[in-house]
Amino acid sequence: MTISPENPKRGELWLVNFDPTIGAEIKKNRPAVVVSSDAIGILPIKLIAPMTDWKERYTNNIWHVKILPDNANGLSKASAIDTLQIRGVDVQRFIRKLGRLPSSTMEEISAAIAAIIEYS
């Protein structure tokens, strides 16, 4: 695994190594978005939401946020941010930066996280 000298920032997409995993957790190397605040924490831990390939059956799921590929995010295909699988990971799992999401998409992700934890 290659560790980038950069410090991952909120809203950035990174390729992250999720192995080892257990059960239905998202596995292997895949993109993830950093959702934690840049001002939080002293440990080299970031709260991230992993991504998977977009499937039409995700359309009505409140926890999936659809992301289309563009030059800013560095993705090559339509993807889904799976906010149900948010987790804290050490920055050693981060392989390389892919791109960045706009603030409007980060607001959608924050709303999806608030919905799954029933935050009101």
Side-chain angles (χ1 to χ4, degrees), residues 57-74:
R57 68 177 188 254
Y58 297 162
T59 301
N60 294 321
N61 295 349
I62 61 172
W63 64 92
H64 283 121
V65 177
K66 185 175 185 178
I67 306 295
L68 297 175
D70 64 25
N71 290 335
N73 63 36

Side-chain angles (χ1 to χ4, degrees), residues 16 18 26 30 32 40 51 61 65 71 78 85 92 94 98 112:
V16 175
F18 286 94
I26 278 190
R30 64 176 64 240
I40 300 296
M51 300 175 73
N61 295 349
V65 177
N71 290 335
Q85 295 213 36
Q92 292 181 67
F94 287 65
L98 301 173

Side-chain angles (χ1 to χ4, degrees), residues 10 36-42 46:
R10 178 176 168 79
S36 54
S37 168
D38 296 335
I40 300 296
I42 57 172
K46 296 293 180 178

Side-chain angles (χ1 to χ4, degrees), residues 13-109:
L13 291 179
W14 282 75
L15 186 63
V16 175
N17 179 354
F18 286 94
D19 289 328
T21 57
I22 296 175
E25 295 171 348
I26 278 190
K27 300 169 178 36
K28 66 186 178 180
N29 294 345
R30 64 176 64 240
V33 62
V34 178
V35 296
S36 54
S37 168
D38 296 335
I40 300 296
I42 57 172
L43 295 175
I45 302 285
K46 296 293 180 178
L47 186 63
I48 54 97
M51 300 175 73
T52 190
D53 295 346
W54 176 256
K55 295 175 179 58
E56 284 305 312
R57 68 177 188 254
Y58 297 162
T59 301
N60 294 321
N61 295 349
I62 61 172
W63 64 92
H64 283 121
V65 177
K66 185 175 185 178
I67 306 295
L68 297 175
D70 64 25
N71 290 335
N73 63 36
L75 297 173
S76 59
K77 58 187 170 185
S79 301
I81 296 179
D82 189 347
T83 62
L84 190 57
Q85 295 213 36
I86 58 173
R87 65 188 81 172
V89 298
D90 191 286
V91 295
Q92 292 181 67
R93 289 187 176 270
F94 287 65
I95 299 168
R96 67 180 161 83
K97 183 178 171 183
L98 301 173
R100 183 169 223 6
L101 294 178
S103 58
S104 58
T105 303
M106 291 306 295
E107 289 173 15
E108 285 182 65
I109 293 166

